[in-house]
């Protein structure tokens, strides 16, 4: 039971689960930002998804319904941000921050009767035939629950859509040069609305996965800042869905790794270990810009800039 | 402009603390509580709110109010000052971070009695209060020492402040008293409340073969992680058995009501004096929650023997001899760690695996 390799496998498969809480919001924000909308409200959308997903799961006794409701709740809350930043052409930073504060406030209010309740329906793990037999990899990645598999499929589908389809070209064009895409006949506002909504769906899903599977109960402020980490992971992934999992699992795994070091009695200060993922993000950004001599690491050119057709 | 109005509205909505149950009767003594979290958080603040309800029930002629989700620091000062202005006679602030705000307000209202939890600043009209949680910690350690089979016990710890180090040490002294082979492993999450980190820490222990998880943080996540793997756990703050009924052996819990009733009675009688109250099990301010059904009678009997000695004042968990992690004798046989040393404790006893990071302050 406690041989080194089985500890490694157990901790890694836990890292994948706790990484999934981050992976979903990161993927969503990548698409929203690709469309030119910076949404600092991930934390707020996550916690809204976490509460309403939890309530729905609790009432229907079905984690899958809970997850879908959590996604929808997150998506609807993102529409507030879309309205302010697209229709009103407001400041996206202010609006996103307000959305985070709003999310924390509204869940504090509506969450009161649900505090201390726990969600007791266990979510089953499924072994993928064939793949799950691969040593280590199979144990870690292919003995998971349906939500984790959903995130795998989603990640690949999103990468394909973004870089291989016309829909993806439109999405990227809107974030790179809204005026030019408008001239080409792409509906800028409709695209931006949709992808902001989509980002909210996934942020809500990440929150719901937290309260339905990973820490299945409701307490105020349960996301504890994970939305901000997702925001950093977007940069870490250089706006590419396929790289998002590296950062997400790294953040999930770093806890496991640094806790493992602590539990075995290391003398490295835990605060130093806690710093690792943030340090890595910085290194990736610096390396990508300086070492690769690439000025454009995927940052959408018009990220955060409102688009006004009338303006010249 | 619209967006700023929107933002300000939202901010105002969120940051206005909720004032609950303000009383009307003029002849009743008004008592206020300042909470750092929601009153029903299932942990720290809930324990204080239970104390408030206890006070109303047990001391006649008292009416209470509370403000919840009050941010620590400057915003708290306004909330405390408002209560003092409204004629509240006694104000309890239930978090360490309310110390300076309360200290400032207390200076301006010499006729109001202020009580601050877990701090160290006092005035003529401001006292402090806390509990010797290390006593129940020690008893919980005995239970863990008896119940572990793998001799690997995990302790999920928040910050490396003396209060928490004291808890881990007392717990380990209990473990080692009945089981020399068992070790207590420590993980610092560097947070009071982060369910994901707490679950990760517990899962790390479980992967390494832990069969008991003790929690010093505020969420029930570690206990649920233990239950999922069919292992035992020990809760904190309030009785956490409802979160993981098959797993929780017991919880170390607060009964603040005992102190609140005592202090308010003294104020009414005019005998209140500013003190630094540090109550123990014999005062009833702390205890163990009812045991889970898996705890055998033999273990209960042993714990009861030790508990009776603590209640009688003939035994203290920090009675010597106590060796530190490296085997150095810190407290000689026949001696006892002084309260001053307990309050500034920054070393682990024998049987703890882990290290204490240097705290920033």
């Amino acid at each position: 039971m406690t041989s080194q390799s089985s500890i490694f496998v157990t901790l890694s498969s836990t890292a994948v689960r706790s990484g999934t809480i981050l992976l979903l919001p990161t993927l969503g924000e990548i698409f929203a930002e690709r469309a030119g909308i910076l949404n600092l409200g991930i934390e707020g959308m996550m916690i809204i998804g976490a509460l309403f997903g939890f309530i729905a799961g609790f009432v229907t006794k079905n984690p899958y319904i809970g997850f879908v409701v959590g996604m929808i709740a997150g998506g609807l809350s993102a529409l507030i941000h879309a309205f302010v930043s697209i229709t009103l052409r407001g400041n996206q930073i202010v609006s996103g921050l307000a959305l985070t504060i709003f999310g924390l406030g509204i869940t504090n209010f509506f969450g009161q009767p649900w505090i201390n309740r726990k969600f007791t329906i266990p979510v089953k793990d499924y072994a993928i035939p064939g793949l799950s037999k691969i040593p280590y990899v199979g144990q870690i990645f292919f003995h998971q629950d349906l939500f984790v598999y959903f995130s795998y499929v989603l990640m690949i589908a999103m990468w394909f859509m973004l870089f291989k389809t016309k829909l993806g070209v439109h999405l990227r064009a809107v974030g790179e040069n809204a005026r030019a895409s408008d001239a080409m006949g792409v509906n800028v506002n409709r695209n931006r609305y949709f992808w902001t909504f989509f980002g909210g769906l996934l942020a809500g899903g990440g929150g719901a996965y937290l309260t339905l599977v990973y820490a299945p109960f409701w307490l105020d402020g349960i996301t504890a800042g994970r939305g901000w980490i997702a925001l950093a992971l977007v940069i870490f992934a250089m706006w590419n869905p396929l790289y998002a999992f590296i950062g997400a699992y790294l953040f999930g795994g770093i806890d496991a790794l640094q806790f493992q070091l602590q539990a075995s009695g290391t003398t490295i200060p835990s605060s130093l270990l806690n710093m690792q993922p943030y340090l890595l993000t910085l290194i990736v950004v610096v390396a990508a810009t300086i070492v690769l001599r690439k000025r454009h690491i995927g940052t959408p050119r018009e990220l955060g800039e409102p688009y006004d057709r009338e303006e010249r | 402009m619209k967006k700023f109005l929107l933002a300000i509205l939202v901010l105002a909505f969120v940051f206005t603390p909720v004032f609950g149950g303000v009383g009307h009767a003029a002849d009743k003594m008004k008592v206020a509580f300042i909470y750092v979290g929601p009153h029903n958080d299932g942990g720290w603040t809930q324990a204080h709110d239970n104390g408030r309800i206890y006070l109303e029930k047990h001391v006649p002629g008292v009416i209470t109010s509370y403000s919840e989700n009050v941010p620590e620091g400057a915003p708290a000062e306004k909330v405390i000052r408002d209560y003092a202005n409204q004629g509240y006679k006694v104000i309890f602030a239930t978090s360490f971070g309310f110390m300076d705000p309360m200290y400032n307000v207390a200076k301006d209202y010499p006729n109001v009695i202020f009580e601050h939890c877990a701090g160290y600043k006092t005035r003529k009209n401001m006292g402090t209060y806390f509990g010797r949680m290390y006593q129940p910690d020690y008893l919980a350690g005995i239970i863990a020492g008896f119940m572990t089979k793998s001799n690997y016990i995990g302790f999920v710890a928040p910050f490396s402040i003396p209060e928490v180090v004291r808890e881990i040490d007392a717990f380990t002294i209990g473990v080692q008293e009945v089981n020399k082979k068992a070790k207590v492993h420590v993980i610092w999450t560097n947070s009071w409340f982060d369910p994901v980190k707490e679950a990760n820490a517990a899962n790390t222990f479980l992967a390494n073969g832990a069969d008991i998880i003790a929690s010093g943080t505020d969420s029930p996540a570690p206990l649920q992680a233990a239950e999922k793997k069919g292992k035992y756990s020990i809760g904190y703050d309030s009785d956490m058995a409802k979160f993981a009924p098959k797993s929780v052996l017991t919880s170390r819990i607060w009964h603040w009501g005992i102190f609140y009733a005592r202090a308010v009675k003294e104020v009414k009688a005019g005998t209140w004096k500013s003190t630094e109250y540090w109550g123990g099990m014999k005062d009833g301010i702390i205890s163990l929650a009812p045991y889970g059904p898996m705890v055998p009678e033999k273990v209960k009997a042993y714990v009861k023997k030790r508990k009776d000695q603590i209640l009688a004042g003939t035994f203290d968990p920090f009675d010597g001899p106590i060796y530190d992690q490296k085997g150095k004798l810190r407290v000689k046989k026949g001696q006892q760690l002084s309260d001053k040393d307990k309050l500034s404790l920054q070393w682990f006893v024998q049987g703890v695996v882990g290290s204490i990071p240097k705290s920033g302050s």
Side-chain angles (χ1 to χ4, degrees):
Chain A
M1 163 65 205
T2 57
S3 75
Q4 288 303 317
S5 67
S6 87
I7 292 177
F8 172 77
V9 167
T10 316
L11 290 181
S12 304
S13 89
T14 309
V16 169
R17 282 164 213 255
S18 92
T20 303
I21 301 166
L22 296 167
L23 179 58
L24 292 171
T26 305
L27 287 172
E29 179 73 6
I30 287 177
F31 266 33
E33 291 194 13
R34 279 280 185 181
I37 299 295
L38 176 67
N39 191 346
L40 299 185
I42 307 180
E43 177 78 3
M45 301 186 295
M46 272 182 88
I47 199 154
I48 285 173
L51 175 65
F52 293 101
F54 177 82
I55 294 175
F58 192 94
V59 171
T60 61
K61 300 192 175 17
N62 184 327
Y64 302 103
I65 294 177
F67 186 75
V68 172
V69 171
M71 284 181 81
I72 294 170
L76 291 177
S77 68
L79 288 179
I80 302 173
H81 181 66
F83 178 72
V84 174
S85 50
I86 301 168
T87 306
L88 300 181
R89 290 188 287 275
N91 183 321
Q92 297 184 12
I93 291 173
V94 174
S95 161
L97 289 174
L99 179 55
T100 285
I101 297 165
F102 170 73
L104 294 172
I106 197 175
T107 53
N108 172 274
F109 182 73
F110 286 109
Q112 288 288 330
W114 299 92
I115 287 177
N116 279 338
R117 306 274 186 107
K118 62 168 185 164
F119 182 72
T120 48
I121 319 286
V123 173
K124 269 198 215 100
D125 289 349
Y126 298 90
I128 304 273
L131 290 173
S132 61
K133 297 284 186 297
I134 308 170
Y136 296 107
V137 174
Q139 282 290 322
I140 295 167
F141 292 100
F142 300 109
H143 272 275
Q144 296 286 6
D145 56 53
L146 292 181
F147 302 112
V148 174
Y149 295 136
F150 168 68
S151 72
Y152 296 165
V153 174
L154 190 74
M155 183 171 68
I156 295 165
M158 282 174 68
W159 171 82
F160 184 81
M161 200 225 101
L162 190 63
F163 295 112
K164 307 284 174 200
T165 69
K166 200 172 147 195
L167 215 60
V169 173
H170 288 176
L171 160 56
R172 281 183 291 146
V174 163
E176 291 289 330
N177 191 334
R179 187 161 304 278
S181 26
D182 196 6
M184 298 290 286
V186 178
N187 189 327
V188 175
N189 283 0
R190 195 194 297 162
N191 259 286
R192 288 189 166 176
Y193 254 100
F194 182 78
W195 296 118
T196 307
F197 174 71
F198 179 80
L201 287 181
L202 294 192
Y209 184 69
L210 170 63
T211 48
L212 291 167
V213 183
Y214 202 80
F217 52 86
W218 172 253
L219 278 181
D220 214 22
I222 194 162
T223 48
R226 296 232 142 36
W228 300 111
I229 297 176
L231 200 68
L233 289 181
V234 173
I235 304 168
F236 187 100
M238 298 190 277
W239 291 268
N240 185 335
L242 221 46
Y243 298 153
F245 82 96
I246 304 175
Y249 296 162
L250 199 69
F251 268 79
I254 211 88
D255 264 4
L257 173 70
Q258 67 112 337
F259 286 163
Q260 177 65 28
L261 287 172
Q262 281 196 47
S264 49
T266 175
T267 47
I268 306 169
S270 57
S271 38
L272 262 180
L273 295 166
N274 270 326
M275 209 170 73
Q276 296 310 312
Y278 304 93
L279 211 61
L280 276 169
T281 303
L282 272 177
I283 292 170
V284 165
V285 174
V286 172
T289 44
I290 294 173
V291 182
L292 302 178
R293 291 182 181 283
K294 257 168 85 179
R295 262 160 127 204
H296 195 57
I297 58 165
T299 323
R301 251 178 254 279
E302 291 183 2
L303 179 61
E305 286 177 25
Y307 173 61
D308 183 356
R309 311 184 77 142
E310 313 296 320
E311 206 175 80
R312 276 156 202 281
Chain B
M1 198 56 221
K2 268 185 207 158
K3 65 191 180 254
F4 279 111
L5 284 176
L6 180 75
I8 286 164
L9 264 174
V10 169
L11 280 167
F13 173 61
V14 173
F15 282 126
T16 309
V18 182
F19 287 86
V22 180
H24 307 286
D27 51 334
K28 288 191 170 179
M29 180 186 272
K30 296 204 282 184
V31 179
F33 290 80
I34 318 294
Y35 298 152
V36 71
H39 72 282
N40 55 352
D41 68 350
W44 177 255
T45 299
Q46 174 129 44
H48 283 284
D49 198 54
N50 291 343
R52 180 186 65 82
I53 293 161
Y54 178 95
L55 166 68
E56 276 203 335
K57 230 184 240 168
H58 289 80
V59 182
V62 168
I63 190 146
T64 67
S65 301
Y66 63 83
S67 288
E68 56 187 356
N69 295 317
V70 177
E72 296 187 325
E77 189 168 325
K78 188 186 172 302
V79 178
I80 299 170
R81 199 172 287 278
D82 281 352
Y83 277 123
N85 269 332
Q86 288 166 29
Y88 281 79
K89 185 66 189 156
V90 189
I91 302 174
F92 294 99
T94 66
S95 186
F96 181 80
F98 296 147
M99 178 165 69
D100 287 327
M102 181 164 252
Y103 190 69
N104 294 341
V105 179
K107 193 179 153 214
D108 301 338
Y109 295 88
N111 295 323
V112 178
I113 304 299
F114 296 88
E115 286 276 9
H116 176 239
C117 183
Y120 54 82
K121 287 191 181 170
T122 56
R123 287 187 189 276
K124 248 197 170 133
N125 60 333
M126 174 173 168
T128 63
Y129 62 100
F130 207 46
R132 295 172 188 266
M133 190 46 107
Y134 65 87
Q135 294 170 342
D137 288 330
Y138 159 80
L139 298 177
I142 291 175
I143 299 173
F146 274 123
M147 304 289 288
T148 180
K149 290 197 178 68
S150 66
N151 289 331
Y152 189 121
I153 298 165
F155 197 109
V156 182
F159 291 102
S160 55
I161 54 175
E163 173 195 338
V164 179
V165 173
R166 201 164 59 232
E167 291 209 14
I168 296 167
D169 277 351
F171 180 79
T172 309
I173 289 169
V175 169
Q176 289 259 310
E177 177 176 316
V178 298
N179 184 348
K180 277 267 175 276
K181 279 188 224 135
K183 300 269 186 261
V184 176
H185 297 248
V186 176
I187 289 179
W188 303 103
T189 61
N190 291 314
S191 153
W192 285 111
F193 177 82
D194 186 335
V196 175
K197 260 193 194 308
E198 290 166 31
N200 284 347
N203 283 325
T204 304
F205 284 137
L206 294 163
N208 281 278
D211 61 356
I212 296 179
I213 305 291
S215 163
T217 46
D218 288 347
S219 101
L223 317 183
Q224 286 185 316
E227 186 172 57
K228 225 181 219 173
K229 294 271 156 66
K231 306 295 182 194
Y232 294 137
S233 59
I234 292 167
Y236 180 57
D237 279 337
S238 48
D239 189 355
M240 288 196 166
K242 57 185 173 292
F243 282 105
K246 287 192 215 99
S247 166
V248 174
L249 299 168
T250 183
S251 303
R252 300 104 68 211
I253 59 178
W254 296 99
H255 304 281
W256 297 106
I258 307 275
F259 171 74
Y260 292 147
R262 201 187 84 151
V264 172
K265 272 184 196 155
E266 283 176 1
V267 174
K268 289 190 102 171
T271 57
W272 186 90
K273 274 198 185 68
S274 166
T275 53
E276 293 174 65
Y277 175 83
W278 201 22
M281 288 184 84
K282 71 171 180 346
D283 305 295
I285 187 170
I286 39 181
S287 75
L288 286 182
Y291 304 119
M294 64 299 260
V295 180
E297 289 304 322
K298 182 188 82 158
V299 175
K300 287 184 197 165
Y302 189 99
V303 173
K304 184 172 184 312
K305 195 183 87 193
R306 279 311 203 186
K307 187 177 134 191
D308 290 344
Q309 289 173 339
I310 291 175
L311 292 176
T314 56
F315 170 77
D316 184 275
F318 285 103
D319 281 347
I322 297 174
Y323 294 88
D324 71 11
Q325 234 176 345
K326 297 198 177 76
K328 190 179 140 205
L329 185 65
R330 290 287 194 133
V331 183
K332 289 201 190 83
K333 194 171 183 330
Q335 290 185 343
Q336 202 183 77
L337 202 64
S338 70
D339 273 4
K340 190 168 163 275
D341 288 340
K342 281 177 196 162
L343 287 167
S344 59
L345 199 59
Q346 276 291 303
W347 47 270
F348 276 148
V349 298
Q350 202 162 43
V352 180
V353 181
S355 60
I356 303 174
K358 299 266 179 297
S359 52
S361 53

